[in-house]
Amino acid sequence: MGRLLQFEIFRYNPEDKDSAPHMQTFVLEETTNMTLFIALNRLREEQDPGLIFDFCCRAGICGACAMVINGRPGLACQTKTKDLPETITLMPLPVFKLIGDLSVDTGIWFREMYQKTESWIHTTKEFDPAKEEERMDNAVAEEIYELERCIECGCCISACGTARLRDDFMGAAALNRIARFVIDPRDQRTDNQYFDIIGNDYGIFGCMGLLACEDVCPKKLPLQNQLGFLRRKMGITAIKQFIRK
Amino acid sequence: MQTYYSDLLVIGAGLAGERVAVESALAGFNVICLSIVPARRSHSSAAQGGMQAALGNCAMGEGDNVDVHFMDTVKGSDWGCDQEVARLFADAAPIEMRRLAHWGVPWNRVVPGTSSYFKGGEKFEKFEKPEKEGLITARSFGGTAKWRTCYTSDGTGHAVMCTMDNKCAELGISVLDRKEAISLIHDGQQCMGAIVRCLRTGKLETYLAKATAICTGGFGRIYKATTNAVICDGGGHVIAQDTGVVPIGNPEAIQFHPTGIVPTDILVTEGCRGDGGTLLDVNEERFMHIYEPEKAELASRDVVSRRMTEHMRAGKGVQSAYGEHLWLDIRHLGDKHISTKLREVDEICQNFLGVDARTQLIPVRPTQHYTMAGVRTDKNGAAYGLKGLFSAGEAACWDMHGFNRLGGNSLAETVVAGGIIGVKIVEFLKGTETSFNTGVINAEAKRQQERIDNLISGRLGRENVYKVRAEMQEALMQGCFVFRNEKDLGTCVEVLQGLLERSARIGLVSKGLGANHEVAAALKIQGQVRLAMCIAQAALVRRESRGSHNREDFPARDDKNWLNRTLAYWPEGRTMPELKYEEATPHFEIPPGERGYGGGKIIHADQKEIEAKTITKSK
């Protein structure tokens, strides 16, 4: 027989007027290769069908199941119970709006981020279907992809000191997104244009450098390097703007 | 109840759905995309391999063209596809890949010079021409004559999904997440939109549109073991078939993959076996060579899946808390090989199993992978039966895959079909004015609210949705999986009939308030059981083996009687699907021949009929 795991799970359903925020205890027997994906689904199907949480790909590639697991933001699907003690505490991610229990609204947060960062290629070129594709250096393509690996799980935002203090801070995910376009030769935006978006306290200069974003990133993105890169670039842009005045 | 209006309503915001939406938005139409999850979490983003398009830029793709791609696709379909559609697809794919590059996809590019590659564990050299430097390159995939699969490292789906979703943001398309369509609004002739449940609040909303497109992906989740994301549960198919007038095309055509890991059925690549990995049974002994002396572990996807199943049936499976499985052994490949060539497999084993593949065995079993079945449409993506309803991507049976799908053709289909069908939807929107019958809309909204109220009150019964679902998944695994035969299919249909009755008597355990999952599961369970019955019944009637549909008792491919497509309708009040048939393709560019892999006898069709339908390419 496996360990008897004790799950302490945050419960609150804003749509149920009888519901108040509280912690609830569940007990489940551990099976071989059990992940939190398996455990939570069993809890919902066998013990409490009202339990609210999110999973989608359950393979660490979509970012739907981020939650605070024993105090640390992470993906529930790739967390194995055998790496955790017998008592497992699960809380929803902070910063994002709570939908219910362990589910938070990352969708709206990220969609607003696309608008703020204008997360698309800015170009005046038209696509010509009759023409060969424009050439690109393979190393550049790979570099862009390395930054595009973000799965928008929200772990970096919920672990960020500044984001916890002020809700207009764009956070590592947004700055990483900008960096992706800065290095893309197809995007014709100038440094000054990027400065208008992130050259301020809710952008690049709001970061306190606590490094938690990179620590908790399940895709191990080089978030601090991007912050450093953008901060230098924006610093220089600011000085240039100042001299021109 | 809130009502929203748009020119086009797209249900599903994966690659196919967003591609369709982009085309309409570019033409100036107002579009709303609905998605159960934020768009970038769509199952499209899980595809790692790549997209087939005959660009012919890389050394091993030299000489490739749309005709070769077309031929590979038709062969792969086991002559079950619509050749007109396969032609449209192959011709448009290269243009679509270039368009994606223009929009921002960081495709891997040709790097000139000499480099090495592996084939069957052996090392070879190739030379990339300097004049091709920087053009989109391609990798090798099973079943293709040339290297044709465009890719972005090991995250093609993710990269393309990001670009497409960025394009939607640029065009200001409303992509609304946590919205689930639970029924189509229609009068038996025309589709007017959908009744939608908000997955934030649990409230119902009405979406009206001139055109509606179902792009909800596959329905692997009606099987117990599937590689599909948990959102691939057939919701789009259920609401289409529920109308009674829209058929599901080729429900029996379901693809299986040999190596999903146990328990979560995440896929580990065929590369493991390609590089020399072996399959072991409960006694840790090899068995593939007993069944397939020549190819052993390297036999094709469907063949290996069949042999594994056979071996487990013979009592050689490993028992576990999650059912039976076998072992995949790559220990002998060594640390260097595993941490470089099979890095992704290494990571999956570490992250999801806590298994070190260098010293431990990987638990695997055949797993549902892709649904060639889908909402039957014509070549323009217009669904049969309802004006104003369209479908694209894995959700549709458009039908370029026929009875089996080639790797790299599914991800390509999402954007290529999305583009082609998007243009057709624009034509439809330009040529149509519409009026909405408020009586029909109100009646449908009321009907859906009543369904939810009945579930919460338990007025119709107290059946547990998760139990019914588990039994349905198990029934398909038993009767409708890799192998099919008269007896097991018969049993499967019987079990499912019982479940269909029970699924009408579901009552909730929870209160059903807010973002409640039990409501979502309960609303679609009856439709899911119907889909399951369509698979089982169509498989029972189709007495031949074609592509992924494998009848132990009828091993031959029977072109004489079965060179056709199943259409499964479910008129209101029926307890069984109504099966109709249509010819597989309006004409042949390539008359039926050997598939080139998987073996099997062919019962030939009447040669005169085939010749009469064969055309030469008029281009």
Side-chain angles (χ1 to χ4, degrees), chain B residues 324-400:
Chain B
E324 266 181 279
H325 65 78
L326 294 160
W327 299 113
L328 175 65
D329 183 9
I330 58 169
R331 293 173 300 186
H332 51 286
L333 301 182
D335 173 54
K336 197 178 163 215
H337 190 97
I338 292 171
S339 49
T340 56
K341 298 286 185 300
L342 296 172
R343 186 176 78 170
E344 173 211 319
V345 175
D346 191 18
E347 281 173 7
I348 289 172
C349 289
Q350 300 277 2
N351 290 342
F352 297 95
L353 298 172
V355 161
D356 181 355
R358 290 160 194 79
T359 55
Q360 291 168 287
L361 298 172
I362 309 165
V364 293
R365 65 181 164 205
T367 299
Q368 191 283 347
H369 185 52
Y370 188 85
T371 45
M372 279 76 73
V375 176
R376 177 67 185 139
T377 72
D378 64 15
K379 64 180 176 183
N380 299 328
Y384 283 21
L386 278 186
K387 193 174 162 227
L389 182 65
F390 296 81
S391 183
E394 191 178 347
C397 177
W398 182 39
D399 189 9
M400 56 166 280

Side-chain angles (χ1 to χ4, degrees), chain B residues 450-470:
Chain B
E450 272 173 14
R451 282 180 71 203
I452 295 178
D453 295 344
N454 286 341
L455 289 170
I456 292 174
S457 68
R459 190 180 309 146
L460 302 177
R462 280 287 169 200
E463 288 288 348
N464 182 304
V465 61
Y466 295 117
K467 285 197 179 125
V468 172
R469 191 174 74 179

